[in-house]
Amino acid sequence: MNLNGFEFDKRTADALSALASGKRLPHAVVLESHDDKAADEAARALSMFAVCQSENKPCGECPQCQKAFNRAHADITYLKTTNKSKTYAIEQIREVISDVYIRPNEADCKIYIFEHADECMTTVAQNAFLKVLEEPPQDVSFILLCQNSRRLLPTILSRCTLLRLGSEAPPEGDVLDRAEEIVNGILSPREYDLLLALRAIFDKERSGEILGAVALLLRDGLAVLSGAKAVQNHALGTKIAATLPRGVLLELISLTRDAQTKTKTNININLFATWLCGEYRRISWQR
């Protein structure tokens, strides 16, 4: 993905490039960031990629890119709240559901961008939106911007590709070693190897840091799949890419980030490690 002209940190740039490694965007993407401007720029870059007419997408020069950059493209819709409660009205969601089945005007696809989705999409609106997420038209993509993806319904998240944006300090020393053991455990056909490796998170003071490193290593696999270089461990990134498909990797990364958040709560670490092992195995077996 050509990100010239955008000022993304390396982690965000790698994540966006991995997401756009195919010919088109996933049908639904959640961009989570505490920086609204960064999320908005990421959505702009993805929408430009989706409509660009060049081989090196997004080129930033073709008419489609220019219109997307200036938020003036007929096939890119930015959803904003219109009522006093600053939430998306159910009528807006119904209008989107009707509009997605109308062919694009200029591009080969249509993009719908929901700003502050976690704050502005009520449960009723999300349930209505779920209907189109379950069976979306092939030429439509949705981008949901939020600060906290956990405010979205699990049924929504399960049908979206989640990207958490922002820079992160690289793991070092023993933390990276423990994370590499966990990743090798995920790749191993023996569940015992993963259980053994997950003993590292019994150290609650470092468990979040270790799981953060696991997510970065899994992103190395995505980078290799997209033709980019691995950041943390090239050999392991190559092994991951050869073993796990892109969709499975995205699920594993999302699970790992959710697990990292849970380590900050008062959890039973033994039950947590068992649960995490089971979830890693369930997802990784979708090969």
XYZ file of all heavy atoms in Angstrom, residues 1 26 32 45 48 87 101 137 144 173 244 263 268:
98
model
N 0.850 -1.198 0.000
C 0.000 0.000 0.000
C 0.878 1.238 0.000
O 1.798 1.355 0.803
C -0.914 -0.016 1.225
C -1.919 1.124 1.277
S -3.031 0.950 2.697
C -4.120 2.352 2.410
N -11.396 -5.547 3.193
C -12.410 -6.406 3.804
C -13.752 -5.661 3.803
O -13.795 -4.430 3.720
C -11.888 -6.609 5.237
C -10.430 -6.328 5.157
C -10.263 -5.278 4.091
N -9.568 1.379 15.641
C -9.594 1.831 17.025
C -8.362 2.683 17.303
O -7.231 2.242 17.085
C -9.624 0.635 17.976
C -9.684 1.029 19.445
C -9.634 -0.175 20.362
O -8.526 -0.732 20.542
O -10.690 -0.571 20.878
N -6.993 7.096 4.003
C -6.045 6.307 3.214
C -6.702 5.046 2.664
O -6.506 4.678 1.498
C -4.837 5.938 4.066
N -9.140 5.937 -0.126
C -8.401 6.249 -1.358
C -7.908 4.972 -2.022
O -7.988 4.826 -3.252
C -7.224 7.173 -1.043
C -7.633 8.587 -0.657
S -6.239 9.594 -0.044
C -5.203 9.681 -1.511
N -26.388 10.668 18.387
C -26.302 9.242 18.054
C -26.808 9.052 16.632
O -27.526 9.907 16.092
C -27.144 8.380 19.013
O -28.525 8.806 18.947
C -26.643 8.505 20.446
N -27.288 -1.220 -1.883
C -27.678 -2.072 -3.010
C -27.795 -1.292 -4.328
O -28.141 -1.856 -5.360
C -28.991 -2.782 -2.696
C -28.845 -3.747 -1.544
C -29.283 -3.407 -0.264
C -28.213 -4.980 -1.716
C -29.120 -4.274 0.811
C -28.050 -5.852 -0.647
C -28.501 -5.495 0.608
O -28.336 -6.366 1.671
N -23.232 -6.574 0.166
C -22.913 -6.643 -1.271
C -21.396 -6.706 -1.461
O -20.633 -6.180 -0.648
C -23.495 -5.333 -1.811
C -24.515 -4.918 -0.812
C -24.000 -5.371 0.510
N -15.565 1.625 10.512
C -16.089 2.147 11.768
C -14.932 2.706 12.595
O -13.983 1.979 12.895
C -16.808 1.051 12.566
C -18.229 0.674 12.143
C -18.251 0.062 10.748
C -18.840 -0.301 13.149
N 14.545 -8.262 24.950
C 15.053 -9.270 25.875
C 14.105 -10.412 26.161
O 13.540 -11.032 25.256
N -0.193 -19.778 8.594
C -1.520 -19.247 8.889
C -1.994 -18.284 7.808
O -1.239 -17.399 7.397
C -1.501 -18.514 10.241
C -1.100 -19.354 11.461
C -0.975 -18.464 12.687
C -2.124 -20.467 11.699
N -5.639 -8.544 31.066
C -4.595 -8.723 32.084
C -4.565 -7.565 33.069
O -3.984 -7.693 34.153
C -3.202 -8.855 31.427
O -2.884 -7.650 30.705
C -3.144 -10.050 30.492
N -8.514 -14.545 37.334
C -7.864 -15.776 37.790
C -6.907 -16.195 36.682
O -7.336 -16.612 35.604
C -8.921 -16.854 38.047
C -8.318 -18.146 38.553
O -7.379 -18.690 37.965
N -8.856 -18.666 39.648
